[in-house]
Amino acid sequence: ARDDAVVSEAAATRRVGGGGKRRAVGGAGGAGGGERCGAEAAAGPAVAADDRAANSVGREYDAWTREGILEYYWGEHIHLGFYTNEEMKRGYLRKDFVEAKYNFTQRMMTFGGVTAGEEKKKKKILDVGCGIGGTTRYLATELGPDAQVTGITLSPEQAQRASALARERNVPNADFQVMDALNMTFADDSFDVVWGCESGEHMPDKERYVQEMTRVLKPGGKLVIATWCQRDNATQAFTDEEERSLDFLYSEWTHPYFISINDYARLMRDTNQLIGIVTDDWATNTIASWRHSIWVGLFDPWPVVKAGPRVWWKCLRDAVCLERMHRAFKRGLMQYGMFAATKRPVLQAAAKA
């Protein structure tokens, strides 16, 4: 259901300055995006704190995991897929929907420099916002038995399902924990690779999200993030219609707010610990996923039909939101942000100090 308090707050803070000044709903430590501005920003932590206490993200994914509908259609990877330019020209429906998700993970590994040849020496990888662990298990398999891959999620149901699938797939070097990505219990400098695929969208504090992932990353380690972003309004302000469109996307899928690719890059620079920051927009090669996910349900509707009226209504609402997402990405209101960076090695950090 729509949370009018979050919607109202997000709309107000989105109008505060451009991409470099924007702060929206935030949790402990403030929200990501820039300087706090007036009453709009002051109200943010209270709203986010209420939402985090209720764990709306965890509840939503608990429900989807119990029902099994999302896993049935999307497979083990609950994220968008990758479609090459050639595949788009031929028609995206010719490609297997689940295969596209594996292709995305492979491309993300390459983008972040997380390759099997190099990373077999790496011992610890963290998957932040792991879902039911499809990517966690894939990384554990690709990087070999010497790699230990840990996935964290707010959803106990997801963690249980992920662990069960790891046992079924015989992937002993993948483990899963229920943990808040904004308050991780891991020690500083714990992981050789920190990976966040489509988890930033749900974070009520983008700054803390980046800071926590950087904190647990070892010096010389690699950070790679994929997340939905909104257009940078520093150069082109949102119209009233665009703000209404964003409000809809925020409220339907428990998204506190989005920020731009430039905002994320700035948050990474502001850590003063990340170097070699690379960004990209993969909207062109992922946009087909939105409508493709609707079509796979239309081609095979019986699991939804058998689930009963409550799930029918839920899936109908989700189909509307999927189409709204497609349109937002198509017109450039939304972007698909890709980010890779390295944590400054110890010697460089000492020299900088």
Side-chain angles (χ1 to χ4, degrees):
R2 293 173 64 89
D3 186 331
D4 291 337
V6 172
V7 170
S8 176
E9 174 64 17
T13 54
R14 193 164 53 248
R15 288 189 288 269
V16 177
K21 297 255 186 194
R22 182 183 172 279
R23 267 197 188 259
V25 180
E35 295 295 324
R36 304 202 75 127
C37 299
E40 297 95 338
V47 175
D50 290 343
D51 185 63
R52 294 181 64 70
N55 188 11
S56 59
V57 177
R59 281 201 319 271
E60 285 292 318
Y61 280 111
D62 276 346
W64 276 117
T65 304
R66 284 192 299 269
E67 291 160 356
I69 296 294
L70 190 60
E71 182 180 346
Y72 180 86
Y73 289 113
W74 283 58
E76 297 178 22
H77 292 251
I78 313 300
H79 57 75
L80 301 190
F82 191 95
Y83 302 76
T84 65
N85 294 337
E86 293 74 17
E87 288 168 338
M88 290 295 289
K89 289 178 183 177
R90 288 198 302 267
Y92 65 84
L93 291 178
R94 294 177 179 269
K95 181 163 186 165
D96 182 86
F97 181 59
V98 173
E99 179 189 357
K101 298 169 182 296
Y102 283 94
N103 293 162
F104 180 94
T105 303
Q106 294 157 355
R107 298 271 183 163
M108 186 170 170
M109 289 178 70
T110 301
F111 178 81
V114 185
T115 59
E118 178 184 354
E119 299 302 327
K120 280 182 184 289
K121 299 180 292 184
K122 305 298 186 184
K123 296 299 183 184
K124 297 183 70 177
I125 298 94
L126 177 64
D127 183 5
V128 178
C130 64
I132 59 172
T135 299
T136 314
R137 291 185 296 275
Y138 185 86
L139 290 170
T141 302
E142 286 293 299
L143 302 181
D146 290 335
Q148 182 62 41
V149 188
T150 298
I152 63 170
T153 173
L154 276 176
S155 165
E157 293 281 350
Q158 284 190 330
Q160 291 173 20
R161 180 60 178 152
S163 298
L165 287 169
R167 291 190 295 270
E168 290 176 19
R169 305 286 190 273
N170 190 27
V171 187
N173 57 327
D175 68 279
F176 302 91
Q177 300 181 37
V178 177
M179 190 180 298
D180 184 350
L182 302 186
N183 293 284
M184 290 189 275
T185 58
F186 303 119
D188 296 355
D189 307 334
S190 292
F191 296 94
D192 300 286
V193 176
V194 176
W195 174 289
C197 182
E198 296 190 9
S199 54
E201 300 89 332
H202 297 296
M203 300 297 165
D205 187 334
K206 312 301 189 196
E207 184 176 53
R208 179 79 175 219
Y209 174 62
V210 172
Q211 289 174 343
E212 273 292 274
M213 289 193 290
T214 303
R215 179 184 67 79
V216 301
L217 184 64
K218 292 180 182 179
K222 296 176 179 178
L223 173 64
V224 56
I225 301 172
T227 187
W228 311 341
C229 296
Q230 65 187 30
R231 187 187 74 227
D232 191 342
N233 67 337
T235 55
Q236 183 181 353
F238 297 123
T239 66
D240 289 343
E241 187 277 328
E242 287 175 331
E243 289 197 349
R244 288 193 297 272
S245 294
L246 287 169
D247 289 342
F248 177 88
L249 300 179
Y250 291 160
S251 60
E252 282 296 299
W253 283 346
T254 61
H255 297 131
Y257 65 105
F258 305 126
I259 61 176
S260 70
I261 291 175
N262 289 338
D263 283 339
Y264 264 112
R266 187 185 53 74
L267 291 177
M268 295 173 76
R269 290 193 300 271
D270 285 352
T271 64
N272 294 317
Q273 297 184 74
L274 297 174
I275 60 174
I277 299 168
V278 178
T279 70
D280 202 358
D281 181 1
W282 282 13
T284 299
N285 297 109
T286 57
I287 191 171
S289 293
W290 301 111
R291 284 183 173 171
H292 202 169
S293 63
I294 297 173
W295 280 109
V296 294
L298 293 174
F299 291 151
D300 181 15
W302 295 113
V304 175
V305 172
K306 294 175 182 177
R310 187 182 64 82
V311 175
W312 301 348
W313 172 243
K314 187 175 182 179
C315 290
L316 177 61
R317 287 186 61 162
D318 281 334
V320 171
C321 198
L322 288 165
E323 176 61 21
R324 295 280 292 266
M325 276 289 191
H326 170 87
R327 295 182 185 186
F329 276 88
K330 184 73 172 177
R331 62 175 169 157
L333 180 59
M334 293 289 292
Q335 301 171 328
Y336 198 98
M338 297 295 301
F339 308 88
T342 300
K343 188 169 181 178
R344 194 184 303 277
V346 174
L347 292 178
Q348 290 187 26
K352 183 176 176 64

